[in-house]
Amino acid sequence: MAAAPTSAGREKRCGVCGQESRQPGFRPPVPEQAPDLDLRPGEPVRSTMARWLQACPHCGYAAPDIAEAHPAAAQAVAAAPYRALIADTAHPVLARRFLAWAHVLEETGALHAAAEATLHAAWVADDLNRDDLARLWRREAVALWRSGPALDAEQSVRVIDALRRAGDFAEAEAAAEALAASDPPEAVAQVAALEARLITAEDAGRHSIASAIAPPARRPHVTHQPKKRPPEGGGLKSWLRRIFRG
């Protein structure tokens, strides 16, 4: 299925520096394929990552909507770590954008959201066959998840998957055993069991959630909210959340 049309874009005033720039519009298409175990959406949404974030060409602020900024974002963007991050040519441009957004989120205390954005950077590395960076950023995402509030079932599964994909099989096994011992909902237990089998086989590859959970009788519609944290929203993602949370 073809991607949904996007608008030609419109002028946005950056919430950090106040400068205006033309930013492309984006309306996410409907995913026709099941997501991965870490909930990376299936195609055609999978291939739209380059449009999930906007970037201010004046100050470098990256966010789902640059017109919106936490009060502490300007300080984070102006600081040396952020400037060094967006200037690091050793990393892919799109990955730097997600890492920059993750840095702002971390500096403003949204650690789980920062973990999500860091995982998105790992997805970019996956697509470029940069396994070294994908492993690094998955480990960083795990550290951020674990630094924040108590993890829910979905986040616990994603931590296990990130550890497995990073090749940290012993740690992934311990996390999977802990989740299984917590008497999770049936669907979570099914995913955890699949993760356990993959860990035993020392399989660090990508696997679909359809390998663990049968799809619904009808394919649901999906949208995500790029003004919040991509890819979020209703449809398939909400269906998965409801399953994970019992």
Side-chain angles (χ1 to χ4, degrees), residues 94-107:
L94 181 57
R96 276 183 268 160
R97 190 172 294 179
F98 283 114
L99 292 172
W101 175 227
H103 180 79
V104 170
L105 290 167
E106 183 179 4
E107 289 297 301

Side-chain angles (χ1 to χ4, degrees), residues 44-203:
V45 179
R46 187 182 194 89
S47 298
T48 63
M49 289 187 68
R51 290 178 282 160
W52 290 1
L53 296 180
Q54 299 173 357
C56 175
H58 304 287
C59 69
Y61 175 50
D65 183 352
I66 61 169
E68 299 179 359
H70 187 282
Q75 183 177 354
V77 169
Y82 188 96
R83 309 316 302 173
L85 193 159
I86 63 174
D88 188 354
T89 57
H91 295 160
V93 172
L94 181 57
R96 276 183 268 160
R97 190 172 294 179
F98 283 114
L99 292 172
W101 175 227
H103 180 79
V104 170
L105 290 167
E106 183 179 4
E107 289 297 301
T108 56
L111 297 180
H112 286 177
E116 177 90 13
T118 303
L119 182 63
H120 293 173
W123 294 348
V124 174
D126 288 338
D127 292 345
L128 297 174
N129 296 316
R130 290 294 307 272
D131 293 343
D132 55 334
L133 295 178
R135 289 192 296 270
L136 170 66
W137 293 332
R138 280 188 166 90
R139 288 171 182 141
E140 291 182 357
V142 168
L144 287 164
W145 263 311
R146 288 177 166 174
S147 297
L151 300 176
D152 61 22
E154 173 198 301
Q155 291 163 335
S156 296
V157 169
R158 299 178 89 186
V159 164
I160 294 166
D161 191 74
L163 290 168
R164 178 184 64 80
R165 295 288 302 274
D168 298 337
F169 297 115
E171 194 174 351
E173 182 179 25
E177 289 175 351
L179 178 60
S182 69
D183 192 26
E186 181 181 356
V188 175
Q190 291 173 2
V191 175
L194 174 59
E195 290 282 8
R197 294 193 297 272
L198 296 172
I199 292 164
T200 299
E202 296 192 353
D203 182 341

